Amino acid sequence: MYFFSRFDVFKHVISRPVLGSLCSALICFPIVYAAPQDDGKGPDGPVYSPGTHSMYKDGWIDFNKNGKKDVYEDPLAKIDDRIEDLLSQMTLEEKTCQMVTLYGYRRVLPDALPKPEWKNKIWKDGMGAIDEHLNGFIQWGLPPSDNPNVWPASRHAWALNEVQKFFIEDTRLGIPTDFTNEGIRGVESYMATNFPTQLGIGHTWNRRLVRKIGEITGREGRLLGYTNVYAPILDVGRDQRWGRYEEVYGESPYLVGELGVEMAKGMQKDYQVAATAKHYIAYSNNKGAREGMSRVDPQMSPREVELIHVYPWRKVIGKAGLLGAMSSYNDYDGEPIQSSKYWLTDRLRKDFGFKGYVVSDSDAVEYLYQKHKTALDMKDAVRQSVDAGLNIRCTFRSPDSYVLPLRELVREGGLSMETIDERVRDILRVKFLVGLFDHPYQTDLAAADKEVNSEENQQVALQASREAIVLLKNKDKTLPLDANKLKKVAVIGPNADEKAFALTHYGPLAVEVTTVLDGVKKKLEGKAEVAYSKGCDLVDARWPESEIVRMPLTADEQRDIDQAVETAKDSDVIIAVLGGGPRTCGENKSRSSLDLPGRQEDLLRALHATGKPVVLVLINGRPLSINWADQNVPAIVEAWYPGSQGGTAISDVLFGDYNPGGKLTVTFPKTTGQIPFNFPSRLASQVNGGGTPGQRGNQSRVNGPLYPFGHGLSYTSFKYSDLKIEPRVVTPNQKVKVSFTLKNTGDREGDEVVQLYTRDIISSISGYEKLLNGFDRIPLKPGESKRVELELDPQDLALINAHRERVVEPGDFEIMIGESSVKTKLKGTLTVIDANDRQALSRQQNKPEGKLLSNILSASTGQNLASRAVDGDKTTSWPASAGDYLTLSLKEGSQPREIQVTWGKGSKADFIIQVSSGGGQFLDVVSDTIQCDAPETKTYKLKGTTASDARILISRGKAGIANVSVAGFEVK
């Protein structure tokens, strides 16, 4: 009999600090092994017992059944020693079986539970991982599995234990398998806590909440029997047409990295599971967002890859100790990631310090010869992948298809045993870290039933659904609705009573879902009538061709819209619930348009035509170009895919029981013709084109985003004040504290997502307009003030210089605090100096904070006196003679309609005011004369066209410019 007490677990854990407190993570309770359980019977109690096999000893397990405690079996030994001891005992057959995944029930494995014939299968020598076993998912478009071992949670955990028991008891060395599963919105199981999709989670901007989501995901995963969960996704969104936009946190690498750290730390708390992030690397920006299965030809420069796509991986590995990475099946610059030693070894392991194992995404290995055409055949593809750094092949194919050519390669000398050993070491390290050799069974079956999808966890999910919601528009305070003043509310649209958005792949499959209609009915129960009509389907019969060839409404489509109008015409308010769903967004579902699909805009226009107030609720997985809605609908709420409790969360926002505080982590383009249009953007890469529409205008395209990165409204208001940057002068290795006061100046409690942006004033390489480098979500009661502190790490200011080195260059950086990327409230300057330049440090520390003018104000002569023109002092001026000019650089997209000039005492000159729209060409817009004995202020009308610079040229005589002001010019 084998007894493993609470004390034993604790004693073994503290002897290996690297494991953390496995006791608090999971399974810290007495385990007494008794009679074996019958496969068909299932669990017969709250505690799992594998049986009375003699291998279960007092405080350890005799995995190789040799009657003695080998080093790898000793919980007190160092992990590295245990790995080497086990590796020395393994045969080629056993090593290669550790390097492959067996897909679970009804994917590849036909059996839910072990069968006698398993002893004749390739996994008789062990198995690296078993993926998605009994998680309920069978195939896209099919209902969840009805196998009895799928649910309840205790039965599921018992079944995985039974499978684990085969590998422990019936293989020579007893190496446990790693049970892997998806988990980007909760563990993919028949039941589990169902969170919003990762895009929704990103819109919470809440590190603490994301950490909690990670803890719940990891905890529920382990209670169900899984030891490795595929999350978080570290892809950075760049093209809104991409089908997997619903799975990214956002477009900012900083935000993706910060939330990725919290998710990974939460999941790996006390090593309850390993977190395997995906998709490594450069996966999320394909040509035109098209998704051929090999994801070829990503359109990115090397610096874009480093600063946008590599950034989150470096941060999450460095700060969270990530234990898994899924290698993507795309190429970059013609080199498939799957066969790249540069990416899988030199960068991932040597540069980033990754210590876990790499698992392939789907057919990444097979694509080397099938699609990329860089390998001759499967055998060559295996060789290239393993040599590059792949640890485990994972796809929906028999393990034999990978293991057999792998063994042939070793026997033929195509791969060395040293390479095989190195790959297996990584796999075993992860298995030791998550406790598989010390506690291979999930024994607390009662805890699984109690905690998985518990009410407590659902409350966290509900809060995530609330915090993910973004109020895009709220004209004349249309929202919140007053339930006490309503008699009838019409809930209309294809997403009004839809549940599919909460039950897609990579998360819980069969939980109860509250629709928007459900939520509104419950909110108005006993107060007002709620009428419902679908109005139209999510897409029409000819979609997506109907996006490019517009056809009249069919009779059936017109009838459905007319019926919705009839339902809504005597209501007090219409809640239109539109957007997307699994048909329009998801893996392999990139789009050619961002408009509302199908006949949804026709429906919205018809509802608006009733004259009733319309509130638009969007449920979708990517930004949509809702231009007509933005111009005509007074209130717009973006809910993303809000999880199983989305209907409750949305209703709480609509009726004022929750004040929305989410901010956009993505950009809403007005049209796909603007793409690429994202944040962050390179300097001057998203400039506007002309500002005057019409036949006599100069505007050739639409300007600006529909909604910018960071945008989001609230039912209350906030005031920012008193910015402090401490210290103002730092070396690249010093942290900076940026603090300010935030006050809720409205009459409602609310959250404000404060955002810190930086801009490198002058750099050796052209950089970004601005970068997100700090944020927090701050709750405040009405009238409450709080001193907010954000930490800025100068390492986040790094660029890739001309020598391809990642460096923080000395210089000035603009610090901006605001409520979005375009609405900054506070500004200051941070100076970074070389850590070895002590004299510069002394000079900078003693220098008063001054104005940064050299990059925005230039003079043809007397540059040192140019600041007089913007110092606000009318008694001092910049002196100019014929031919001299003063040039002011304007903010991007400026359309100045007037310029105000204060002429200095004694000015007597002819002058020309010019503007430039780029390219260095200046056009005359004002020609005039000035003559004054005392300072005199004049205002001159401009044309209001988009301008990048404004210039005052003295053409004859002499003048002084004491002050100048024009929209778009701002002194730093």
Side-chain angles (χ1 to χ4, degrees), residues 57 80 124 166 198 213 264 293 429 445 490 520 560 602 662 672 704 744 769 877 886 950:
K57 306 295 184 181
D80 286 346
K124 71 181 184 302
F166 168 84
Q198 190 166 297
I213 291 170
M293 291 300 290
R429 184 183 304 112
L445 305 182
V520 173
D560 291 343
D602 296 280
T672 54
N744 183 341
E769 294 280 0
S877 61
L886 189 71

Side-chain angles (χ1 to χ4, degrees), residues 683-851:
L683 286 164
S685 65
Q686 294 181 173
V687 296
N688 292 333
T692 307
Q695 294 176 342
R696 298 182 182 274
N698 67 343
Q699 187 175 350
S700 61
R701 53 186 167 86
V702 295
N703 291 324
L706 184 59
Y707 306 112
F709 181 93
H711 169 75
L713 306 178
S714 172
Y715 296 154
T716 190
S717 56
F718 299 92
K719 180 182 178 181
Y720 294 71
S721 63
D722 192 19
L723 173 67
K724 284 186 171 56
I725 301 171
E726 302 172 304
R728 285 194 298 109
V729 181
V730 296
T731 68
N733 299 315
Q734 286 180 271
K735 297 289 195 292
V736 181
K737 183 174 75 174
V738 180
S739 62
F740 56 94
T741 298
L742 181 71
K743 182 178 182 179
N744 183 341
T745 54
D747 58 1
R748 283 178 177 266
E749 182 176 357
D751 296 352
E752 174 72 337
V753 174
V754 296
Q755 301 158 47
L756 186 159
Y757 294 93
T758 62
R759 183 171 67 89
D760 196 343
I761 303 299
I762 299 292
S763 57
S764 64
I765 297 294
S766 181
Y768 291 90
E769 294 280 0
K770 57 172 66 85
L771 290 169
L772 178 73
N773 271 315
F775 65 85
D776 201 358
R777 186 169 182 136
I778 309 296
L780 291 174
K781 293 181 171 59
E784 182 183 4
S785 295
K786 181 178 181 180
R787 193 68 187 166
V788 179
E789 292 186 1
L790 301 176
E791 184 179 81
L792 175 63
D793 186 348
Q795 289 298 317
D796 287 329
L797 305 176
L799 53 73
I800 308 299
N801 66 16
H803 304 291
R804 304 295 178 185
E805 300 165 329
R806 189 176 184 274
V807 297
V808 180
E809 291 187 338
D812 290 324
F813 293 83
E814 186 175 14
I815 307 298
M816 297 161 277
I817 300 292
E819 61 184 52
S820 79
S821 62
V822 299
K823 291 186 177 181
T824 51
K825 301 294 186 179
L826 305 171
K827 295 183 180 181
T829 305
L830 173 70
T831 300
V832 178
I833 64 168
D834 191 309
N836 298 316
D837 191 346
R838 298 299 176 186
Q839 291 183 343
L841 177 60
S842 177
R843 289 195 304 270
Q844 290 287 349
Q845 286 176 336
N846 295 316
K847 186 180 76 173
E849 187 170 11
K851 297 174 181 177

Side-chain angles (χ1 to χ4, degrees), residues 588-654:
N588 301 315
K589 293 175 183 175
S590 59
R591 284 190 65 188
S592 50
S593 169
L594 295 180
D595 295 343
L596 284 167
R599 300 301 192 178
Q600 294 187 57
E601 186 169 304
D602 296 280
L603 172 62
L604 186 61
R605 287 172 181 258
L607 295 174
H608 178 264
T610 64
K612 300 293 181 179
V614 178
V615 176
L616 173 60
V617 175
L618 294 172
I619 295 178
N620 47 288
R622 60 159 65 84
L624 297 175
S625 51
I626 50 168
N627 297 289
W628 187 90
D630 179 67
Q631 292 181 15
N632 294 279
V633 177
I636 304 175
V637 172
E638 174 60 82
W640 308 111
Y641 290 155
S644 62
Q645 300 187 75
T648 300
I650 291 168
S651 297
D652 286 345
V653 166
L654 294 178

Side-chain angles (χ1 to χ4, degrees), residues 116-137:
E117 52 266 31
W118 282 22
K119 294 182 179 181
N120 299 318
K121 299 290 186 179
I122 199 166
W123 51 91
K124 71 181 184 302
D125 294 312
M127 188 56 48
I130 297 182
D131 194 32
E132 297 191 26
H133 187 54
L134 296 173
N135 69 352
F137 184 79

Side-chain angles (χ1 to χ4, degrees), residues 12-78:
H12 299 156
V13 168
I14 61 172
S15 66
R16 284 190 289 112
V18 70
L19 261 181
S21 178
L22 184 62
C23 177
S24 64
L26 236 210
I27 320 186
C28 199
F29 36 74
I31 305 167
V32 180
Y33 292 100
Q37 307 211 25
D38 178 70
D39 286 351
K41 180 182 176 184
D44 58 2
V47 175
Y48 177 79
S49 301
T52 56
H53 196 292
S54 60
M55 66 186 293
Y56 302 113
K57 306 295 184 181
D58 185 11
W60 61 283
I61 301 175
D62 186 12
F63 288 104
N64 61 8
K65 300 100 177 160
N66 66 355
K68 66 176 185 177
K69 185 189 291 185
D70 293 83
V71 175
Y72 87 91
E73 298 166 345
D74 185 357
L76 301 180
K78 294 180 179 179

